[in-house]
Amino acid sequence: MLGAGRMKLETFGLSRMLLGLIHIAAAAGCEFGPFPYGSTGIVCRMTKPAALLLNQETAQVVQTAFRNAKFPNITGERSMRLLGKVSYELTNIQVKELSLEQSEVELREDGAIHIAIRNVTASFQGTLTYGYAGTWFFRLFHSVDFEIESSIDLQINIDLMCQQDQVAADASDCYLTFHKLTLHLQGDKEPGWLKQLFTDFISFTLKFVLKREVCTEINSLAQMLANFVHDLAANFVQDKGIGLDISLASAPLITASYVESYHKGFVWYQNQSTAFWDSVFSPTLLPASRMLYFWFSQHVLSSLASAAFLDQRLQGIITGHKLQALFGAEQLETHGQAVRKIFQGTSYNDSVAKVWSLARPQISLQPEGTVVKSLVAAELSIFPAGEEPRVVLYMEKEVTVTIQAAYADKKLLLHPSDPRIEFKVFRCTADPSGSDPSIKSFLQTLISRVGIPEVTSRIEEALTSLMNSKGLHMFEIRNPEIITRQGYVLVQLDFSFPNHLLLDFLENKL
C-alpha cells in the first residue's frame, strides 16, 4: 500500500511569507494627500492598443523567466508493499527546450493587467537518483538521466502600485496549468514499472516546484522591468544638473481601456526643487484613441525654462559666415545701408554677436501655442585691423512670440509666429541719438524675420540632439501631435517598440 509522500516545504512557506510582506509594504509605501492631482505635473497614459503591441514582447520575458528559474532539488519517499521504502531525488533540473504559441493581454476593470499565454511547450532535463530497501534486506540504488515533456498554460495578473514613490509591478498572482507532464527515464534497461512508478508519484511534486519557481522568477522580472522603465524615463528627463522628479503623485490606475500613471514633475536644479500644488490635470483631459499620451503641466515647462536660464544655457555666440548669413538674409536686402552703418566697414569675419536672456522666460500655454515672453540682450562687437575691439551695438528688448511645436522625421520642429518686440535699451555708435529710423527699422526686421527663427532653429537642434542622446530616435513614432491648451500641453502618438531594447536589458541583467 502506498504511504504518504514527503516534501520539504520550508522554502516555499518562507517565499510566500516574504512575497506577502513585500506586497503589504508596497501597498502602504506611499501616502498621497486628499487632492493628489494638485501636484501632478506629468501624466502617462498607455491605451489598450499599446498594451497589445507590448504584449508581443511578453514571450521574451516568459522564456527568460523559465530559463533563469533556479529549480531546487526535489526529494521524496514512498512506502510500497513488498518493495519497502522507495526514496528519490531529482537534481540538476534545467530547461532544455521552450516554445510559446499564443499570448493575450487584457486590461481589467478590477485594476489588473491579465496576461494569458497558451500552449507553452517546455522540456526539462536532469538526473534522477533513487533507492529502495526490500523486505528481505534487498537494496538497490541507481541514477539515470531524465527528460520531462510538458504542455502548460500560463496566467499572470499584474497589479501596479506605488513603492518608494515609483511604479512597482506585482505579478505574484500567477498560475500554471499543466495539460501534459511526461517523465522519460534514459537507458534501455529501465523496467516499465519503474518508469510508471516514478511518473505517478513525482508528477504532483514536480508541478508544484515548476509553478513556484517560474512564477517567482516572473514576479522578479516584472519588478525589474518596472525599475528599468522608471530608470529609462528618469534618464530621459534629465541633462547634467537639470532634471524632473518623476516620483508618483498618485497611485497608478488601470481601466479596461488604458493604464495611467501620475508623476510630480518637479524640476530640480543644483539640489533645489520647485514644487506646485495647483495643477489643472483631470483624467477627462486625456482621450484614449491613440496608443500613448503624455500630459505636461505649464508649471513643468516654465520651471524648466527657469532652470535653463539659471544654468546659463539661454545664450549664444554668432560669428563669421553665420553672422553674414544673418545680416545678409534676403528679407533684409533693402536695409543694406543700415547694415553698413552698423558694421562701419568691418567684415563679418572680424565681428562677433552675442545674445543672451536677462531674466527668466515666462511660459504660458494657450490653444494657439506656447507663448514665450523674455527680456533679451544683444551685443555686436567689431575687431577692426590695428584697432581696439569695440561694441558698436547694444540693445535690450522684450520679445513675445508664440511657438507651435511638432515632431517629424525624428526631429523636433518649432514654428514661431506673431512676434512682438519692445525696445528697452538701445545704443548704437552709428546712431548715438537713436534718431535714425532706418537703423531701428532694420533691427526690428532683423529680430522678427531672422533673429527669432535663428534662435528657434538652434533650440530645435539642441533639443533634438538631447532627445536622440536619450534614445528617442530608436522608436518608430507615428503621427505624433503636440497640442497646447490653457495651462497644459498634450503629446499623443502611436509607436513601434524597438525589440533590441528589451533583449539588451534582459541579457545585461540576467
Side-chain angles (χ1 to χ4, degrees):
M1 182 176 181
L2 295 177
R6 295 205 307 266
M7 178 182 178
K8 295 181 180 179
L9 298 177
E10 290 86 354
T11 303
F12 173 71
L14 180 60
S15 299
R16 289 293 298 269
M17 183 177 70
L18 289 176
L19 284 175
L21 291 175
I22 291 172
H23 182 88
I24 294 171
C30 305
E31 294 183 2
F32 305 109
F35 306 103
Y37 291 152
S39 61
T40 297
I42 303 173
V43 179
C44 176
R45 173 177 288 188
M46 182 182 70
T47 62
K48 186 157 186 187
L52 293 173
L53 174 67
L54 293 176
N55 184 56
Q56 298 174 10
E57 314 302 320
T58 302
Q60 298 176 20
V61 178
V62 172
Q63 287 174 345
T64 301
F66 270 85
R67 293 194 175 100
N68 198 58
K70 306 299 182 184
F71 299 105
N73 296 340
I74 300 174
T75 61
E77 185 179 88
R78 290 270 182 160
S79 296
M80 300 192 64
R81 184 179 299 173
L82 300 178
L83 293 178
K85 290 184 178 180
V86 178
S87 61
Y88 64 89
E89 182 177 25
L90 279 71
T91 59
N92 303 319
I93 304 173
Q94 54 187 305
V95 176
K96 181 180 178 182
E97 296 179 357
L98 181 69
S99 66
L100 281 70
E101 182 174 311
Q102 183 183 2
S103 178
E104 300 174 353
V105 65
E106 180 185 0
L107 304 181
R108 291 187 168 178
E109 287 289 357
D110 60 4
I113 303 172
H114 177 73
I115 298 176
I117 302 173
R118 314 288 184 190
N119 297 329
V120 180
T121 302
S123 174
F124 303 88
Q125 62 183 11
T127 302
L128 168 64
T129 301
Y130 62 92
Y132 61 91
T135 56
W136 297 285
F137 304 101
F138 177 74
R139 295 177 180 275
L140 175 63
F141 298 94
H142 193 49
S143 292
V144 296
D145 293 332
F146 70 84
E147 183 175 333
I148 302 165
E149 294 180 359
S150 65
S151 179
I152 307 169
D153 284 348
L154 175 63
Q155 296 187 35
I156 311 165
N157 293 314
I158 303 176
D159 290 325
L160 298 181
M161 60 191 68
C162 179
Q163 183 177 2
Q164 296 180 346
D165 292 328
Q166 71 180 59
V167 176
D170 177 16
S172 58
D173 189 1
C174 169
Y175 300 93
L176 268 65
T177 302
F178 289 84
H179 299 294
K180 180 180 77 170
L181 186 68
T182 305
L183 176 67
H184 297 285
L185 302 180
Q186 306 300 318
D188 296 334
K189 295 183 179 180
E190 95 184 58
W193 66 267
L194 184 62
K195 176 181 176 181
Q196 184 63 44
L197 167 67
F198 285 108
T199 298
D200 287 344
F201 66 74
I202 287 176
S203 60
F204 173 79
T205 302
L206 193 59
K207 291 177 182 179
F208 191 79
V209 171
L210 293 180
K211 173 196 178 301
R212 183 188 68 200
E213 301 304 326
V214 170
C215 286
T216 298
E217 188 61 29
I218 287 175
N219 192 34
S220 175
L221 279 176
Q223 184 59 68
M224 289 174 63
L225 286 170
N227 292 336
F228 169 67
V229 172
H230 177 272
D231 293 343
L232 198 68
N235 177 64
F236 190 86
V237 294
Q238 67 175 320
D239 179 57
K240 299 176 183 177
I242 301 175
L244 292 177
D245 176 4
I246 59 171
S247 58
L248 289 176
S250 183
L253 175 66
I254 300 176
T255 72
S257 55
Y258 62 82
V259 179
E260 194 164 85
S261 59
Y262 315 97
H263 308 268
K264 294 176 181 176
F266 299 162
V267 174
W268 52 260
Y269 173 68
Q270 292 185 346
N271 297 323
Q272 296 183 353
S273 179
T274 59
F276 52 85
W277 309 101
D278 56 349
S279 173
V280 299
F281 175 74
S282 167
T284 59
L285 298 177
L286 274 65
S289 57
R290 305 291 296 275
M291 293 174 67
L292 196 60
Y293 294 87
F294 294 101
W295 183 96
F296 296 91
S297 168
Q298 178 175 296
H299 291 285
V300 173
L301 299 185
S302 181
S303 298
L304 282 174
S306 295
F309 166 76
L310 293 173
D311 205 45
Q312 298 183 352
R313 301 192 188 192
L314 304 182
Q315 56 181 305
I317 303 293
I318 307 172
T319 60
H321 70 280
K322 196 66 178 179
L323 192 62
Q324 182 177 2
L326 190 65
F327 278 85
E330 293 182 5
Q331 299 95 319
L332 308 176
E333 288 181 351
T334 58
H335 297 274
Q337 184 177 0
V339 174
R340 288 189 290 272
K341 287 182 181 180
I342 293 173
F343 280 88
Q344 302 178 15
T346 305
S347 71
Y348 294 111
N349 289 330
D350 295 323
S351 308
V352 174
K354 178 182 177 182
V355 181
W356 68 98
S357 184
L358 292 169
R360 306 183 188 205
Q362 300 177 29
I363 305 292
S364 176
L365 296 175
Q366 303 294 335
E368 57 270 19
T370 302
V371 181
V372 181
K373 184 177 181 180
S374 183
L375 183 61
V376 180
E379 181 180 87
L380 177 65
S381 301
I382 62 175
F383 302 84
E387 299 181 27
E388 291 291 323
R390 58 180 181 270
V391 176
V392 296
L393 175 65
Y394 175 83
M395 55 183 172
E396 297 176 5
K397 64 273 186 188
E398 187 176 80
V399 179
T400 303
V401 62
T402 300
I403 298 177
Q404 293 181 334
Y407 186 83
D409 300 324
K410 300 185 183 296
K411 295 180 181 178
L412 179 67
L413 305 175
L414 302 178
H415 304 287
S417 63
D418 191 26
R420 297 185 294 278
I421 303 162
E422 180 182 351
F423 287 97
K424 300 293 185 180
V425 176
F426 179 80
R427 294 193 295 268
C428 180
T429 56
D431 182 23
S433 64
S435 59
D436 188 338
S438 64
I439 291 181
K440 269 209 170 178
S441 174
F442 160 71
L443 293 173
Q444 189 89 11
T445 305
L446 172 70
I447 296 168
S448 60
R449 297 187 183 181
V450 182
I452 291 176
E454 170 66 20
V455 171
T456 303
S457 175
R458 292 195 172 201
I459 295 175
E460 280 180 351
E461 295 174 2
L463 292 178
T464 297
S465 177
L466 177 60
M467 291 188 296
N468 287 341
S469 72
K470 304 297 185 179
L472 185 63
H473 62 289
M474 296 190 298
F475 292 81
E476 290 300 326
I477 297 176
R478 299 189 299 273
N479 305 319
E481 294 181 87
I482 302 175
I483 303 169
T484 54
R485 294 289 184 263
Q486 183 77 36
Y488 68 92
V489 61
L490 178 64
V491 181
Q492 56 188 33
L493 54 93
D494 299 320
F495 70 98
S496 295
F497 189 81
N499 295 334
H500 65 86
L501 198 64
L502 185 57
L503 283 174
D504 290 347
F505 166 74
L506 293 174
E507 290 176 359
N508 292 334
K509 290 291 185 181
L510 303 175

